[in-house]
């Protein structure tokens, strides 16, 4: 796993659930590379508005992608997320 599994109580929670698709997690950050391998299969909906520009590149997009991966990364991918069963 990753360093996330060291968060107290998270491994126990993961044994019970890794999220529910009825729950939406909002990421208020930069743009997200939804094609990144860590987000394969993640249910991500891009919302247009301030800070949600799809054409953002470089460090800003890398940061938004990293944040989304920590939350929604599939456990069988390169970054196991906190709640990959939720949607964003």
């Amino acid at each position: 796993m990753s360093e996330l599994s060291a968060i107290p109580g998270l491994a126990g929670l993961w044994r019970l659930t890794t999220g529910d698709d009825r729950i939406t997690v909002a990421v208020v950050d930069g743009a997200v590379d939804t094609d990144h391998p860590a987000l394969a299969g993640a249910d991500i909906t891009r919302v247009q508005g301030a800070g949600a520009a799809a054409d953002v590149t470089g460090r800003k997009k890398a940061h938004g992608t990293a944040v989304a991966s920590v939350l929604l990364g599939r456990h069988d991918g390169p970054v196991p997320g906190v709640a990959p069963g939720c949607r964003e």
Side-chain angles (χ1 to χ4, degrees), residues 2 16-17 19 21-22 28 30-31 37 39 49 54 56 58 60 62-63 66 70-72 79-80 82 84:
S2 71
L16 299 173
T17 183
D21 65 1
R22 296 173 293 178
V28 182
L39 297 171
V56 173
K60 288 182 180 180
H63 188 269
V70 167
L71 294 171
L72 300 173
V79 180
V82 173

Side-chain angles (χ1 to χ4, degrees), residues 72-88:
L72 300 173
R74 308 301 299 180
H75 283 200
D76 58 353
V79 180
V82 173
C86 293
R87 57 193 164 115
E88 176 187 64

Side-chain angles (χ1 to χ4, degrees), residues 7-51:
I7 294 173
L10 190 57
L13 178 62
W14 281 343
R15 283 192 290 277
L16 299 173
T17 183
T18 55
D20 186 312
D21 65 1
R22 296 173 293 178
I23 298 171
T24 301
V25 177
V27 175
V28 182
D29 201 290
V32 174
D33 178 2
T34 56
D35 294 327
H36 191 280
L39 297 171
D43 185 3
I44 297 175
T45 301
R46 179 172 285 138
V47 177
Q48 294 303 315

